[in-house]
């Protein structure tokens, strides 16, 4: 009897232990599932690192909105696009960067040729106008800007402006226009000239600029000079003027933009772009960021703050000349052997503009 009673007590105790263990496991499982569904631990613990050569204000706003939407933190390391791209080459597979976001697409083309980029997701590619992206989807355009002529209408009539950028290289325009030979966009435009027209014509263009134009240190300096009436005409990117127009009102400015509208090199488009690194340790999160920055929400943030053109066709910017009305020259998306800008810099040095 005593042995039977002892066995019953032991069996009862085991049953209770098994029940407690079962309940604990069940609760733990439910808590884990709840955590995964509501606040993904992988998001809260991840930090994307972006090597960023783009405009700071717009980039920070984009990163903040992405973190609020996904819970994924973003750390931006800023610098020159070319310098950041070459840093990635040096770092190789040990690069801490997940994404590179550049002012121009040239550094991205270089990184692709070295086999360092990851293909973007179909969702990100579906957000943009594919004719402006890498054919293999390894880098995506984010926003576009146009080369433009800014002029002061109290000094120059629009009807007197020429139909080609090359037509400024005449005595009647001497000391009436300003340009920035150290500008990345200017140098990319020069690279396009070398590709489309040949080295001799590009060199003659630079010699003409040096003879008839005035050199300025920065595009903002050019715009300010035109605004103040110090000089009548300047060669800049559209967003310098469009951003000022947004701040002060276009009607309050003393300058206007002029587009040739003839597929001239003076209306050349260039794009900022982004890509995921093959060495990224957070590729899923990086793909989410690429999808967000090309989405309608992400594109609206970037275009509103930077006054550049969206590459998502569902996004518009009412303050800019419609993207569909721009008439850039053909053959300037991929500059091939001239894409690294080395030939352009050689020419600038030869002519004495660098």
């Amino acid at each position: 009897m005593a042995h039977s009673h002892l066995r019953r007590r032991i069996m009862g105790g085991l049953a209770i232990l098994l029940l407690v263990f079962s309940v604990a496991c069940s609760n733990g499982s439910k808590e884990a599932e709840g955590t995964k569904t509501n606040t993904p631990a992988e998001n809260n613990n991840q930090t994307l690192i972006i090597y960023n050569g783009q405009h700071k204000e717009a980039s920070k706003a984009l990163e903040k909105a992405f973190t609020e939407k996904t819970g994924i933190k973003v750390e931006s390391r800023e610098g020159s696009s070319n310098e950041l791209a070459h840093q990635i080459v040096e770092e190789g597979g040990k690069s801490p960067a997940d994404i590179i976001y550049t002012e121009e697409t040239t550094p991205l083309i270089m990184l692709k040729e070295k086999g360092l980029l990851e293909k973007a997701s179909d969702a990100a590619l579906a957000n943009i106008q594919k004719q402006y992206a890498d054919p293999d989807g390894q880098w995506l355009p984010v926003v576009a800007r146009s080369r433009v002529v800014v002029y002061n209408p109290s000094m120059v009539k629009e009807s007197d402006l020429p139909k080609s950028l090359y037509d400024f290289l005449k005595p009647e325009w001497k000391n009436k226009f300003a340009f920035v030979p150290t500008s990345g966009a200017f140098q990319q435009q020069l690279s396009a000239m070398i590709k489309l027209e040949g080295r001799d014509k590009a060199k003659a263009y630079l010699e003409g600029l040096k003879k008839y134009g005035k050199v300025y240190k920065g595009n903002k300096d050019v715009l300010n000079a035109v605004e103040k009436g110090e000089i009548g005409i300047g060669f800049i990117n559209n967003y310098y003027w469009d951003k000022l127009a947004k701040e002060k009102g276009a009607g309050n400015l003393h300058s206007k933009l002029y587009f040739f509208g003839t597929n001239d090199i003076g209306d050349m488009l260039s794009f900022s772009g982004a890509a995921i690194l093959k060495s990224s340790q957070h590729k899923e999160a990086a793909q989410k960021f690429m999808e967000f920055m090309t989405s309608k929400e992400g594109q609206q943030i970037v275009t509103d703050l930077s006054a550049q053109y969206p590459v998502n066709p569902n996004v518009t910017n009412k303050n800019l000349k419609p993207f569909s009305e721009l008439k850039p020259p053909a053959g300037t998306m991929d500059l091939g052997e001239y894409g690294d800008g080395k030939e352009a810099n050689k020419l600038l040095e030869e002519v004495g503009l660098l």
Side-chain angles (χ1 to χ4, degrees), residues 14 18 31 77 123 141 183 221 247 268 273 281 338 342:
L14 287 171
L18 287 170
E31 286 172 7
R77 300 182 184 178
S183 161
D221 297 327
E247 292 170 3
M268 179 178 165
Q281 298 299 305
Y338 305 111
K342 289 181 180 178

PDB file of all heavy atoms in Angstrom, residues 14 18 31 77 123 141 183 221 247 268 273 281 338 342:
ATOM      1  N   LEU A  14       4.962  14.372 -11.633  1.00  0.00           N
ATOM      2  CA  LEU A  14       5.459  14.417 -13.015  1.00  0.00           C
ATOM      3  C   LEU A  14       4.432  15.048 -13.941  1.00  0.00           C
ATOM      4  O   LEU A  14       4.766  15.818 -14.854  1.00  0.00           O
ATOM      5  CB  LEU A  14       5.810  13.000 -13.502  1.00  0.00           C
ATOM      6  CG  LEU A  14       7.073  12.387 -12.899  1.00  0.00           C
ATOM      7  CD1 LEU A  14       7.184  10.909 -13.305  1.00  0.00           C
ATOM      8  CD2 LEU A  14       8.302  13.153 -13.394  1.00  0.00           C
ATOM      9  N   LEU A  18       5.059  18.325 -16.250  1.00  0.00           N
ATOM     10  CA  LEU A  18       4.851  18.290 -17.706  1.00  0.00           C
ATOM     11  C   LEU A  18       3.872  19.368 -18.144  1.00  0.00           C
ATOM     12  O   LEU A  18       4.038  20.013 -19.183  1.00  0.00           O
ATOM     13  CB  LEU A  18       4.329  16.916 -18.139  1.00  0.00           C
ATOM     14  CG  LEU A  18       5.362  15.785 -18.100  1.00  0.00           C
ATOM     15  CD1 LEU A  18       4.686  14.425 -18.315  1.00  0.00           C
ATOM     16  CD2 LEU A  18       6.416  16.004 -19.194  1.00  0.00           C
ATOM     17  N   GLU A  31       4.892  34.317 -27.621  1.00  0.00           N
ATOM     18  CA  GLU A  31       5.611  35.586 -27.475  1.00  0.00           C
ATOM     19  C   GLU A  31       6.584  35.790 -28.616  1.00  0.00           C
ATOM     20  O   GLU A  31       6.707  36.875 -29.166  1.00  0.00           O
ATOM     21  CB  GLU A  31       6.363  35.605 -26.138  1.00  0.00           C
ATOM     22  CG  GLU A  31       5.445  35.798 -24.930  1.00  0.00           C
ATOM     23  CD  GLU A  31       6.189  35.626 -23.624  1.00  0.00           C
ATOM     24  OE1 GLU A  31       7.429  35.502 -23.677  1.00  0.00           O
ATOM     25  OE2 GLU A  31       5.553  35.622 -22.570  1.00  0.00           O
ATOM     26  N   ARG A  77      27.473  57.699 -44.289  1.00  0.00           N
ATOM     27  CA  ARG A  77      28.854  58.179 -44.286  1.00  0.00           C
ATOM     28  C   ARG A  77      29.067  58.985 -45.563  1.00  0.00           C
ATOM     29  O   ARG A  77      28.982  58.428 -46.659  1.00  0.00           O
ATOM     30  CB  ARG A  77      29.829  57.002 -44.184  1.00  0.00           C
ATOM     31  CG  ARG A  77      29.612  56.195 -42.899  1.00  0.00           C
ATOM     32  CD  ARG A  77      30.590  55.062 -42.735  1.00  0.00           C
ATOM     33  NE  ARG A  77      30.287  54.283 -41.545  1.00  0.00           N
ATOM     34  CZ  ARG A  77      30.962  53.198 -41.158  1.00  0.00           C
ATOM     35  NH1 ARG A  77      31.996  52.780 -41.878  1.00  0.00           N
ATOM     36  NH2 ARG A  77      30.610  52.548 -40.062  1.00  0.00           N
ATOM     37  N   ALA A 123      11.027  44.513 -57.506  1.00  0.00           N
ATOM     38  CA  ALA A 123      10.116  45.549 -56.981  1.00  0.00           C
ATOM     39  C   ALA A 123      10.714  46.939 -57.154  1.00  0.00           C
ATOM     40  O   ALA A 123      10.009  47.883 -57.532  1.00  0.00           O
ATOM     41  CB  ALA A 123       9.825  45.278 -55.510  1.00  0.00           C
ATOM     42  N   PRO A 141      18.878  54.548 -61.210  1.00  0.00           N
ATOM     43  CA  PRO A 141      18.852  56.011 -61.084  1.00  0.00           C
ATOM     44  C   PRO A 141      17.901  56.373 -59.949  1.00  0.00           C
ATOM     45  O   PRO A 141      16.960  55.627 -59.662  1.00  0.00           O
ATOM     46  CB  PRO A 141      18.302  56.455 -62.442  1.00  0.00           C
ATOM     47  CG  PRO A 141      17.435  55.317 -62.873  1.00  0.00           C
ATOM     48  CD  PRO A 141      18.108  54.077 -62.371  1.00  0.00           C
ATOM     49  N   SER A 183      33.183  71.728 -61.788  1.00  0.00           N
ATOM     50  CA  SER A 183      31.920  71.054 -61.473  1.00  0.00           C
ATOM     51  C   SER A 183      31.891  69.645 -62.061  1.00  0.00           C
ATOM     52  O   SER A 183      32.261  69.428 -63.220  1.00  0.00           O
ATOM     53  CB  SER A 183      30.754  71.877 -62.023  1.00  0.00           C
ATOM     54  OG  SER A 183      29.585  71.092 -62.139  1.00  0.00           O
ATOM     55  N   ASP A 221      27.661  80.255 -56.977  1.00  0.00           N
ATOM     56  CA  ASP A 221      28.286  81.549 -57.247  1.00  0.00           C
ATOM     57  C   ASP A 221      27.815  82.106 -58.589  1.00  0.00           C
ATOM     58  O   ASP A 221      27.567  83.304 -58.732  1.00  0.00           O
ATOM     59  CB  ASP A 221      29.814  81.408 -57.264  1.00  0.00           C
ATOM     60  CG  ASP A 221      30.377  80.967 -55.924  1.00  0.00           C
ATOM     61  OD1 ASP A 221      29.788  81.355 -54.895  1.00  0.00           O
ATOM     62  OD2 ASP A 221      31.382  80.247 -55.912  1.00  0.00           O
ATOM     63  N   GLU A 247      12.183  78.583 -52.748  1.00  0.00           N
ATOM     64  CA  GLU A 247      12.361  79.316 -51.495  1.00  0.00           C
ATOM     65  C   GLU A 247      11.809  80.741 -51.571  1.00  0.00           C
ATOM     66  O   GLU A 247      11.151  81.218 -50.641  1.00  0.00           O
ATOM     67  CB  GLU A 247      13.856  79.381 -51.142  1.00  0.00           C
ATOM     68  CG  GLU A 247      14.466  78.041 -50.780  1.00  0.00           C
ATOM     69  CD  GLU A 247      15.981  78.106 -50.669  1.00  0.00           C
ATOM     70  OE1 GLU A 247      16.549  79.221 -50.812  1.00  0.00           O
ATOM     71  OE2 GLU A 247      16.611  77.054 -50.466  1.00  0.00           O
ATOM     72  N   MET A 268      21.831  68.432 -71.573  1.00  0.00           N
ATOM     73  CA  MET A 268      22.171  67.068 -71.166  1.00  0.00           C
ATOM     74  C   MET A 268      21.593  66.717 -69.798  1.00  0.00           C
ATOM     75  O   MET A 268      21.623  67.520 -68.869  1.00  0.00           O
ATOM     76  CB  MET A 268      23.692  66.908 -71.132  1.00  0.00           C
ATOM     77  CG  MET A 268      24.144  65.534 -70.689  1.00  0.00           C
ATOM     78  SD  MET A 268      25.947  65.406 -70.745  1.00  0.00           S
ATOM     79  CE  MET A 268      26.204  63.930 -69.774  1.00  0.00           C
ATOM     80  N   GLY A 273      22.471  58.026 -58.587  1.00  0.00           N
ATOM     81  CA  GLY A 273      22.086  56.617 -58.594  1.00  0.00           C
ATOM     82  C   GLY A 273      22.485  55.911 -57.319  1.00  0.00           C
ATOM     83  O   GLY A 273      23.224  56.449 -56.483  1.00  0.00           O
ATOM     84  N   GLN A 281      26.169  42.820 -45.718  1.00  0.00           N
ATOM     85  CA  GLN A 281      25.729  41.823 -44.742  1.00  0.00           C
ATOM     86  C   GLN A 281      24.240  41.963 -44.436  1.00  0.00           C
ATOM     87  O   GLN A 281      23.696  41.207 -43.638  1.00  0.00           O
ATOM     88  CB  GLN A 281      26.542  41.985 -43.446  1.00  0.00           C
ATOM     89  CG  GLN A 281      28.041  41.748 -43.625  1.00  0.00           C
ATOM     90  CD  GLN A 281      28.351  40.342 -44.098  1.00  0.00           C
ATOM     91  OE1 GLN A 281      27.947  39.353 -43.484  1.00  0.00           O
ATOM     92  NE2 GLN A 281      29.074  40.250 -45.209  1.00  0.00           N
ATOM     93  N   TYR A 338      34.816  56.928 -71.719  1.00  0.00           N
ATOM     94  CA  TYR A 338      34.971  58.298 -71.215  1.00  0.00           C
ATOM     95  C   TYR A 338      34.219  58.518 -69.907  1.00  0.00           C
ATOM     96  O   TYR A 338      34.203  59.620 -69.376  1.00  0.00           O
ATOM     97  CB  TYR A 338      34.498  59.297 -72.265  1.00  0.00           C
ATOM     98  CG  TYR A 338      35.186  59.121 -73.597  1.00  0.00           C
ATOM     99  CD1 TYR A 338      34.491  58.652 -74.709  1.00  0.00           C
ATOM    100  CD2 TYR A 338      36.546  59.374 -73.728  1.00  0.00           C
ATOM    101  CE1 TYR A 338      35.132  58.459 -75.930  1.00  0.00           C
ATOM    102  CE2 TYR A 338      37.202  59.189 -74.939  1.00  0.00           C
ATOM    103  CZ  TYR A 338      36.484  58.723 -76.030  1.00  0.00           C
ATOM    104  OH  TYR A 338      37.135  58.523 -77.230  1.00  0.00           O
ATOM    105  N   LYS A 342      38.465  60.831 -67.021  1.00  0.00           N
ATOM    106  CA  LYS A 342      39.907  61.076 -67.122  1.00  0.00           C
ATOM    107  C   LYS A 342      40.260  61.901 -68.358  1.00  0.00           C
ATOM    108  O   LYS A 342      41.084  62.820 -68.298  1.00  0.00           O
ATOM    109  CB  LYS A 342      40.665  59.744 -67.148  1.00  0.00           C
ATOM    110  CG  LYS A 342      40.663  59.032 -65.805  1.00  0.00           C
ATOM    111  CD  LYS A 342      41.443  57.731 -65.871  1.00  0.00           C
ATOM    112  CE  LYS A 342      41.433  57.009 -64.516  1.00  0.00           C
ATOM    113  NZ  LYS A 342      42.145  55.713 -64.573  1.00  0.00           N
TER     114      LYS A 342
END
